[in-house]
Amino acid sequence: MAQAVEDWYKQMPIITRSYLTAAVVTTIGCSLEIISPHNLYLNPTLVIKKYQCWRLITNFLYFRKMGHAEFVPKNLALPYANLDFMFHMFFLARYCKLLEENSFRGRTADFFYMLLFGATVLTGIVVVGGMIPGLSESFAKIIFLSNSLTFMMVYVWSKQNPYIHMSFLGLFTFTAAYLPWVLLGFSVLVGASAWVDLLGMIAGHAYYFLEDVYPRMTGRRPLRTPSFIKGLFADEAVVVARPANVWFAAPPPEAVHQD
């Protein structure tokens, strides 16, 4: 069993493995009270005035809530928190891995840039939303954006694989294009805040439009990965098998059959 888990972990692509490891280590550190969640959450005031810039990153690494959910009895708070954490770790490992191994195969730098774009959009929405009267109170409650970034990956994957058939808890089937809406409905059903999922959908749609739709409309690609980010990753070339007896250039003379 331990060997199977180790092999599964080692087979993960680099970005997925790094993000999953950072999230688990951060959560364990908070559970053991080595780290305090109060030093991790997003607080624009502390970032600007106290120069606590690490909060721009650490708020994407913590997947638990500060305190138990209002609809969960106190005696069930810890089991609920553990279940919620495992649920989000599953989605992080699954859809981050699917994107990195398929849509971004051989393009690790582009995948990292997608996550960077998503994190920037999410942070910007929360900061700007906190300044709007009437909405500031709702946005002030969003202090960790880890779940929103995971939901963004789910949204992008669903857009790139819209025709895959899926099942929700064995109750009904649907195509992957509706996966974000099914998960959003489930979040509302269990009493969780819909804002977290909606933010992920907004960031995911912004990336999908700028990366897939807009270039087809105009021939321009505004989200081209900067060269300095590409320099951080040594992407491996994607090898495609060539069928036998299929030539992409003129065959050598000895390969030509003479009648």
Side-chain angles (χ1 to χ4, degrees):
M1 180 64 180
Q3 185 63 39
V5 174
E6 181 180 354
D7 292 341
W8 170 78
Y9 177 77
K10 289 181 178 179
Q11 290 173 1
M12 283 186 176
I14 182 63
I15 299 297
T16 303
R17 185 167 67 247
S18 300
Y19 193 7
L20 183 65
T21 302
V24 171
V25 169
T26 300
T27 301
I28 292 177
C30 291
S31 299
L32 298 176
E33 298 184 355
I34 299 174
I35 312 170
S36 171
H38 293 277
N39 294 326
L40 305 177
Y41 74 94
L42 179 62
N43 187 320
T45 301
L46 293 178
V47 171
I48 297 174
K49 295 185 177 181
K50 299 293 184 179
Y51 307 107
Q52 296 182 6
C53 299
W54 66 82
R55 294 179 182 272
L56 297 173
I57 299 174
T58 56
N59 82 92
F60 291 100
L61 303 179
Y62 187 70
F63 281 81
R64 280 184 172 173
K65 300 180 184 298
M66 294 175 63
H68 64 276
E70 294 180 358
F71 61 92
V72 179
K74 290 186 177 181
N75 62 321
L76 298 178
L78 183 58
Y80 169 80
N82 291 334
L83 181 62
D84 182 71
F85 173 72
M86 295 303 297
F87 178 79
H88 285 100
M89 287 301 96
F90 168 77
F91 273 85
L92 172 61
R94 174 174 173 79
Y95 292 101
C96 191
K97 184 173 182 286
L98 283 173
L99 282 174
E100 191 171 359
E101 285 186 340
N102 296 288
S103 301
F104 291 89
R105 183 176 179 83
R107 299 191 296 131
T108 305
D110 292 342
F111 183 60
F112 177 80
Y113 190 55
M114 184 202 79
L115 295 180
L116 183 61
F117 171 83
T120 302
V121 170
L122 290 171
T123 303
I125 292 175
V126 171
V127 172
V128 174
M131 300 177 182
I132 301 176
L135 294 177
S136 57
E137 184 176 349
S138 297
F139 280 102
K141 298 178 181 178
I142 304 175
I143 56 179
F144 291 105
L145 292 168
S146 48
N147 294 340
S148 296
L149 187 61
T150 302
F151 207 88
M152 172 196 170
M153 288 186 261
V154 173
Y155 186 90
V156 172
W157 179 85
S158 71
K159 281 294 187 180
Q160 296 179 345
N161 303 273
Y163 303 113
I164 294 179
H165 288 274
M166 310 187 75
S167 174
F168 182 74
L169 302 178
L171 299 177
F172 59 91
T173 58
F174 56 94
T175 57
Y178 298 99
L179 177 60
W181 300 102
V182 172
L183 294 177
L184 175 62
F186 179 72
S187 296
V188 174
L189 186 64
V190 299
S193 173
W195 274 109
V196 172
D197 294 350
L198 285 173
L199 289 179
M201 294 175 71
I202 293 172
H205 191 75
Y207 178 83
Y208 170 73
F209 177 80
L210 293 174
E211 179 65 14
D212 294 336
V213 178
Y214 185 77
R216 290 198 297 267
M217 295 170 55
T218 65
R220 291 175 291 183
R221 186 185 172 196
L223 291 183
R224 191 178 302 276
T225 305
S227 57
F228 77 90
I229 292 182
K230 288 188 175 183
L232 299 176
F233 302 93
D235 289 332
E236 297 180 358
V238 178
V239 179
V240 180
R242 176 174 59 83
N245 299 324
V246 177
W247 302 92
F248 295 97
E254 60 270 17
V256 179
H257 177 70
Q258 300 290 336
D259 292 329

